[in-house]
Amino acid sequence: MKKLFLVFFSPGAAWIEGKNIFEQPLDDHVNFIHQLYREGKVMMAGPFRDGTGGLTIMTVESETEAKELIERDPDVIREILRPEIRAWFPIDWEAYESARADSFRDAVQGLEAGDFSRLEPLFGDPSSPDCRCRIIEWYERGLFASERRALEEALTCACFLGRTEVVDYLMAQGVDPSAGISTGLDGFHWAANRGQLDTVKLLIRRQARLETRSMYGGTVLGTAVWSAINEPRADHIRIVEALIEAGARLDEAGYPTGNDLVDEVLRRYGAA
């Protein structure tokens, strides 16, 4: 399979000082490159407009072949030109856009189906600031304009994953964290369930609703308490405390729960 190589021609040792490429004796070079074109080994070629050199695009089997051919250029041999060969991988933008569109359609389907764990790579990597969040990128390109339900689920998914910066961004765009409920839990419920303390704190600061109910009938506090007992994670107790301090209704915690640690926290906040 043929590959593409860029050959940059710059002045060599025998380049006539003070003259540009149009004034150099390069007829043999032009004829040589033209012959390679006729053989199907050159795609395009020509000088730079500023006269400082030129470029040839070669289509050959290997860099070795490109090098061997260019070394036969009469004006490279005479050292009027100095070549530099670089392998080139041009992007097929039509295929690229098609793949991106397919990726977005797959993401929309996954978000609406609640396939949150699979979609995690689309939300960026918090440990790598240079890793761009595809969800934000798609939003800024306007792809979610006709996919409001998927956008709401994207915020819920961000809560599920603990991608606090994505939650903050989407809420700043007016997305409601209680709207994406195709899984039966909204974003606040998932943040509490999954032990995402930073996300819970953000939702509290942004005054997300505390008393929305999941498909199981629990509020955010009720979900946090159930999770602390049945699916305990490191920050569940602190999430329970943060929710109560934010004004969550204590009677939704189901006291007494039968869990000594949880009940001790609830009593500290007035449960009886």
Side-chain angles (χ1 to χ4, degrees):
M1 179 180 177
K2 289 189 174 183
K3 303 177 179 65
L4 291 176
F5 295 89
L6 303 182
V7 185
F8 295 90
F9 290 102
S10 58
W15 182 277
I16 300 173
E17 191 72 26
K19 293 184 180 293
N20 65 36
I21 195 169
F22 304 103
E23 301 170 297
Q24 302 293 325
L26 295 174
D27 288 348
D28 290 340
H29 165 72
V30 172
N31 291 334
F32 178 78
I33 296 298
H34 182 223
Q35 181 59 36
L36 293 181
Y37 169 78
R38 294 178 66 184
E39 294 172 6
K41 296 179 179 180
V42 163
M43 181 182 296
M44 298 180 72
F48 298 135
R49 288 188 180 275
D50 63 5
T52 59
L55 172 69
T56 294
I57 303 176
M58 301 188 72
T59 173
V60 293
E61 297 292 338
S62 66
E63 187 167 351
T64 299
E65 182 184 1
K67 185 173 183 294
E68 289 175 350
L69 289 170
I70 292 302
E71 286 177 346
R72 287 163 40 195
D73 184 326
D75 290 326
V76 170
I77 295 172
R78 295 189 189 102
E79 296 189 351
I80 299 174
L81 297 173
R82 181 175 62 83
E84 178 188 359
I85 300 173
R86 303 291 296 274
W88 187 39
F89 300 94
I91 296 173
D92 182 338
W93 289 111
E94 184 175 343
Y96 176 83
E97 288 295 336
S98 176
R100 298 278 282 192
D102 289 344
S103 178
F104 177 71
R105 285 192 291 269
D106 177 70
V108 167
Q109 293 173 1
L111 288 166
E112 293 181 351
D115 196 4
F116 293 164
S117 295
R118 179 178 67 85
L119 299 177
E120 184 172 5
L122 300 180
F123 287 79
D125 182 355
S127 66
S128 176
D130 295 331
C131 184
R132 180 72 169 151
C133 171
R134 296 285 295 281
I135 296 296
I136 292 177
E137 178 183 296
W138 285 333
Y139 179 86
E140 292 178 345
R141 289 175 56 198
L143 271 65
F144 280 107
S146 60
E147 299 289 354
R148 187 68 187 184
R149 179 185 168 204
L151 180 61
E152 292 165 349
E153 294 299 340
L155 193 153
T156 297
C157 184
C159 292
F160 174 95
L161 297 169
R163 295 294 195 268
T164 306
E165 69 287 351
V166 181
V167 176
D168 194 32
Y169 176 89
L170 293 178
M171 290 188 71
Q173 312 313 310
V175 184
D176 182 354
S178 64
I181 55 172
S182 66
T183 59
L185 282 72
D186 66 23
F188 213 161
H189 289 109
W190 274 123
N193 169 262
R194 302 275 294 177
Q196 310 290 11
L197 178 60
D198 288 343
T199 304
V200 167
K201 288 181 175 180
L202 172 70
L203 291 165
I204 290 171
R205 286 197 305 274
R206 283 193 165 274
Q207 299 183 323
R209 288 181 286 173
L210 291 166
E211 308 304 332
T212 60
R213 295 190 181 275
S214 72
M215 64 183 293
Y216 306 106
T219 63
V220 179
L221 177 59
T223 299
V225 168
W226 183 92
S227 302
I229 296 169
N230 296 283
E231 299 174 353
R233 298 191 178 211
D235 287 325
H236 270 141
I237 294 300
R238 283 189 287 176
I239 286 173
V240 170
E241 293 172 335
L243 291 171
I244 296 173
E245 290 171 5
R249 290 176 50 186
L250 194 57
D251 59 355
E252 294 290 343
Y255 179 86
T257 67
N259 180 283
D260 291 342
L261 179 59
V262 172
D263 284 346
E264 189 278 325
V265 171
L266 296 177
R267 283 194 297 273
R268 183 154 35 91
Y269 285 94

